[in-house]
């Protein structure tokens, strides 16, 4: 079977890359790996892979190269600038799949750089992924790929090996469009990873049993993928193990979002708020820790392993509602920011919605209110009277007032709710500009000046 | 001389109250003090005051009572609800000067409570102060007084003893209006106290000598009163001594602002951001420390006493500009938030401006751009084309782009700029909605939906 499948080189065997590369081995590919960290290569060999000492050695004579390093700087080094960069030995017409999360601006500059080096023959595919290490190893990632038609034609079978059949998205717009799609998805990820810590920190201050809070959120309209995946690690006190995704990783993606937003004058009001909190964690030395450990910024000295004080049944119900309503408000605003940003960078909003809802950025609030936001953009710039019937009757004022109760209670407890307060302020802005009883999704008008 | 001046009771002899009460002693008043903290009463007696064991004992037979406790809860206790509350013995027609910073809603409820108790004869004056302990002791405070004409007529000479002659403001609107004026002033205070730490934390990360940063800011358009008064304590490492004003104090005022803002659906986008950072300090146990110590939230593990690495002259100039531009952006947005909030609660904007510019909320940016914001509100709701010539040619786009450079650099340094990023996002919002080259003050339109 191995001789039927093309040879693949794989650069960057970290948590994601190792899973993806070993999945390809299991599918019968011959994979030659390179990583700067020797022990990883030992593991890769043990799993049936071949090892290379440099990127140039890895890619030589292979018609496909997958690059899954952590940053644009690393990609630049292993692909074009380092002493043994891949470009020197990549065969003519090879497909180069850049799966790292990088700025749109970077991957477009890489394309130009290759052309400048006389290697316009290399078929660059801008194809970041989402789904975490588990889905990487299963070959069921979400992949968003932008490239020339020729590059997509060549790379598609290999992309299909690594993606879930329903989650391979071809993004119109060529090289850069895949990265833009990933960036928009990461707006949701960046807000929702922090929201999990903010909501659970709030629950802790309220005296709610954290396992009950976890269960109540998952059964509510505040369900979101990140909460479901982060909170179990958060509850594994006191070490927040295993480190599935470090704070430094989401911080890096967050900075891509806010830097690109500045470049195109888009106001990432929610993501910028999250970014400052991530930096606060970095300043305190938490960068390499699992991102679920950010709950410490909200609870700190308090012991989260101590049994919660017993709340009465009614008190507990009220407290759980506050936690759920906090999350609903944050989720509504992060959905609005993501969709408005997608519109600003020219993505197909239906594709954005379909991708996000089925990836790590998924949430019930996006599912429920995303379509009305998208409809507003489709109908143009003069949507009056957002009918709340469009969203099953959920009105912005109701989401806003429920969130306001949560924010008021946190103020009484003297604890920060960075995202909750920002979402509350933004809903106040939207309601000032709005019609009498707008649908929840109409909050998107804050980000889209024309939509009044 | 003592027999010419009326007897005064003074409840609450903390940092502010002690200075105010001893100043009255020096002016020849007979002052009877009460405080829950015995050693303070000993000091007060040593300074020539009389002591009382309860509020009721203090106020008995005195035609004037000044109340300078820390919170509305404390005022409620000493004045009407506690076991020896003042209301039981206050003489008929006595003037009751409530100088504490409390919500408008509270002081209005106190008026109703007095009437409900059959003590409508008491002449309540809602007269919060600003200026710090030094000006309290000198009798040169800013005082903003709202009350009935009868109450103001009786209280005015005593207010004049405690205030600077040019800084006694009679605020139209009766009881509650003084507190609203103070609240609006505290929007500036809350943002600018934190801004001092944010700017100096940024300077530290940039490797600038902090004394040079201090001097450069004071000589620039980023001058503001809080910076001038906080930074010397901030530089008195490592103890941030003396504790002139605790984080808990500004946190309390900040919560009054955001709670009242929620009550009247006004979006305090800057103050809410500051509040979350204050709460972060509280969570870490810094509450009783001087508010200048908030620089720790930005620098933390880093030693601020170590000699800064030597920057070249040009590098240093660039770094100082970044710090100044960060502050200018924050100051512009906090000025806009204060003025828009003043408009929302119905204050006289010219009086707000005059008071703030001469009190602890003063800044060059308010001085420069406040008038154009006020003019916009005066001209109504359809100001188009804010001419940047109104503000000496300073355009919003220039302030925004300079701030953007600071925010980009902080992102490179992986440090939070809570206020700076928020101000940057808000300017982006304003510029999206705006004309081609609006004046800096036009950023106020973010808070005032009608002003487009």
């Amino acid at each position: 079977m191995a001789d039927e499948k093309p040879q693949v080189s794989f650069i960057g065997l970290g948590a994601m890359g190792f899973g993806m590369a070993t999945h390809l081995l299991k599918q019968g590919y011959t994979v030659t790996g390179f990583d700067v960290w020797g022990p990883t290569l030992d593991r890769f060999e043990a799993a049936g892979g071949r090892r290379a000492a440099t990127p140039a050695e890895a890619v030589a004579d292979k018609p496909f190269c997958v690059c899954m390093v952590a940053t644009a700087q690393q990609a630049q080094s292993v692909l074009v600038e380092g002493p043994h960069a891949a470009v020197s030995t990549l065969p003519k017409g090879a497909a180069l799949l850049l799966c790292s999360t990088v700025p749109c601006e970077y991957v477009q500059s890489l394309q130009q750089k290759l052309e400048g080096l006389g290697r316009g023959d290399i078929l660059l595919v801008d194809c970041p992924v989402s789904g975490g290490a588990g889905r990487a190893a299963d070959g069921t990632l979400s992949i968003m790929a932008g490239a020339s038609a020729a590059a997509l034609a060549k790379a598609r079978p290999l992309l299909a090996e690594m993606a879930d059949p329903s989650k391979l998205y071809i993004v119109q717009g060529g090289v850069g469009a895949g990265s833009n799609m990933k960036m928009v998805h990461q707006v949701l990820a960046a807000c929702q990873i922090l929201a999990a810590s903010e909501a659970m920190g709030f629950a802790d201050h309220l005296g709610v049993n954290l396992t009950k809070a976890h269960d109540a959120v998952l059964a509510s309209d505040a369900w979101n993928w990140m909460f479901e995946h982060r909170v179990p690690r958060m509850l594994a006190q006191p070490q927040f193990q295993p480190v599935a995704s470090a704070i430094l990783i989401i911080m890096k993606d967050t900075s891509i979002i806010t830097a690109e937003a500045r470049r195109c004058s888009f106001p990432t009001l929610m993501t910028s708020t999250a970014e400052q909190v991530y930096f606060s964690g970095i300043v305190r030395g938490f960068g390499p820790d699992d991102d679920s450990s950010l709950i410490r910024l909200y609870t700190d000295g308090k012991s989260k392993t101590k049994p919660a004080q017993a709340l009465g049944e009614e008190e507990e119900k009220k407290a759980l509602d506050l936690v759920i309503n906090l999350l609903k408000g944050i989720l509504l605003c992060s959905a609005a920011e993501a969709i408005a940003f997608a519109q600003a960078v020219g993505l197909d909003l239906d594709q954005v919605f379909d991708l996000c809802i089925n990836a790590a950025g998924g949430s019930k609030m996006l599912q429920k209110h995303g379509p009305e936001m998208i409809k507003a953009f489709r109908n143009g710039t003069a949507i009056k009277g957002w009918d709340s019937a469009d969203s099953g009757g959920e009105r912005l004022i109701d989401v806003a007032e429920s969130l306001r109760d949560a924010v008021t209670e946190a103020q009484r407890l003297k604890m920060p709710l960075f995202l909750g307060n920002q979402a509350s302020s933004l809903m106040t802005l939207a309601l000032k500009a709005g019609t009498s009883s707008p649908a929840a999704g109409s909050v998107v008008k804050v980000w889209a000046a024309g939509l009044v």
Side-chain angles (χ1 to χ4, degrees), chain A:
Chain A
M1 190 166 146
D3 56 350
E4 294 171 17
K5 299 210 172 174
Q7 292 234 349
V8 175
S9 63
F10 210 108
I11 301 177
L13 298 167
M16 294 292 292
F18 191 87
M20 293 160 74
T22 50
H23 171 73
L24 291 177
L25 289 174
K26 284 182 204 142
Q27 299 308 305
Y29 287 82
T30 304
V31 185
T32 305
F34 169 75
D35 197 280
V36 289
W37 179 238
T40 296
L41 284 174
D42 297 341
R43 278 178 62 219
F44 186 61
E45 271 193 309
R50 299 181 182 183
R51 73 191 294 158
T54 67
E57 182 186 323
V59 304
D61 306 320
K62 321 288 186 311
F64 292 91
C65 170
V66 182
C67 179
M68 188 67 215
V69 295
T71 66
Q73 287 79 356
Q74 289 176 12
Q76 188 71 355
S77 172
V78 296
L79 296 178
V80 291
E81 280 186 356
H84 304 282
V87 71
S88 60
T89 57
L90 261 177
K92 191 164 165 58
L96 172 58
L97 284 62
L98 181 57
C99 293
S100 310
T101 297
V102 298
C104 161
E105 193 179 19
Y106 169 70
V107 64
Q108 290 178 339
S109 78
L110 175 61
Q111 173 82 70
Q112 286 165 2
K113 178 81 180 175
L114 291 174
E115 285 162 15
L117 292 169
R119 294 304 311 269
D121 62 289
I122 295 173
L123 296 168
L124 178 62
V125 183
D126 168 31
C127 52
V129 307
S130 175
R135 284 173 50 195
D138 293 343
T140 58
L141 288 167
S142 298
I143 302 186
M144 38 224 106
S148 66
L152 286 170
K154 175 155 187 172
R156 195 157 188 156
L158 184 58
L159 291 167
E161 291 284 10
M162 301 187 285
D164 182 282
S166 67
K167 294 176 183 170
L168 173 55
Y169 294 87
I170 304 303
V171 187
Q172 296 308 308
V175 165
S179 288
N180 270 339
M181 182 65 92
K182 176 72 194 271
M183 176 178 73
V184 164
H185 176 271
Q186 291 309 87
V187 167
L188 301 169
C191 294
Q192 287 157 211
I193 285 172
L194 183 61
S197 280
E198 184 158 311
M200 292 299 276
F202 185 38
D204 189 46
H205 279 268
L206 289 167
V208 180
N209 173 287
L210 295 190
T211 302
K212 277 195 188 170
H214 167 261
D215 296 347
V217 167
L218 292 190
S220 77
D221 272 359
W223 176 87
N224 64 99
W225 192 97
M226 285 295 181
F227 190 92
E228 182 170 345
H229 287 75
R230 260 55 187 180
V231 175
R233 289 199 292 280
M234 204 182 291
L235 297 177
Q237 295 293 329
Q239 295 300 328
F240 307 105
Q241 293 294 332
V243 177
S245 191
I247 296 170
L248 282 165
I249 297 294
I250 188 61
M251 185 217 78
K252 175 187 75 75
D253 290 3
T254 305
S255 289
I256 290 173
I257 295 163
T258 59
E260 286 284 302
R262 280 196 295 276
R263 208 164 64 94
C264 58
S265 293
F266 179 83
T268 43
L269 291 143
M270 294 295 292
T271 310
S272 288
T273 299
E275 184 181 32
Q276 308 321 305
V277 185
Y278 289 133
F279 285 149
S280 297
I282 303 297
V283 168
R284 293 188 62 189
F286 300 160
D289 298 348
D290 192 75
D291 60 35
S292 67
S293 74
L294 287 162
I295 189 174
R296 286 178 287 178
L297 296 180
Y298 298 88
T299 56
D300 238 316
K302 295 189 69 175
S303 164
K304 285 167 299 298
T305 48
K306 73 171 194 308
Q309 63 197 74
L311 297 179
E313 198 174 330
E314 199 177 327
E315 282 177 310
E316 184 179 71
K317 170 78 175 63
K318 270 171 103 168
L320 291 171
D321 280 349
L322 289 173
V323 174
I324 288 166
N325 289 332
L326 167 65
L327 276 169
K328 283 181 65 180
I330 296 170
L331 292 162
L332 180 67
C333 286
S334 57
E337 182 157 305
I339 289 173
F341 199 15
Q343 169 81 6
V345 297
L347 292 171
D348 174 333
L349 298 187
D350 287 328
Q351 190 180 45
V352 169
F353 179 76
D354 187 59
L355 181 145
C356 291
I357 214 72
N358 292 303
S363 72
K364 278 210 183 155
M365 290 300 275
L366 174 63
Q367 180 95 52
K368 203 166 159 188
H369 299 291
E372 74 209 22
M373 298 179 194
I374 292 168
K375 191 170 132 193
F377 281 110
R378 181 151 312 123
N379 289 355
T381 59
I383 307 301
K384 305 262 178 201
W386 296 73
D387 187 349
S388 58
D390 285 356
S391 51
E394 189 160 47
R395 298 182 309 158
L396 182 57
I397 186 79
D398 297 326
V399 181
E401 287 185 354
S402 299
L403 174 58
R404 204 174 286 185
D405 291 343
V407 161
T408 300
E409 181 62 12
Q411 181 171 68
R412 198 184 65 74
L413 295 165
K414 303 192 191 350
M415 71 163 291
L417 293 182
F418 295 97
L419 293 171
N421 273 280
Q422 184 76 338
S424 183
S425 291
L426 297 175
M427 287 186 205
T428 301
L429 272 190
L431 286 165
K432 280 170 80 82
T435 52
S436 59
S437 177
S442 70
V443 76
V444 77
K445 76 178 86 173
V446 168
W447 288 264
L451 292 182
V452 290

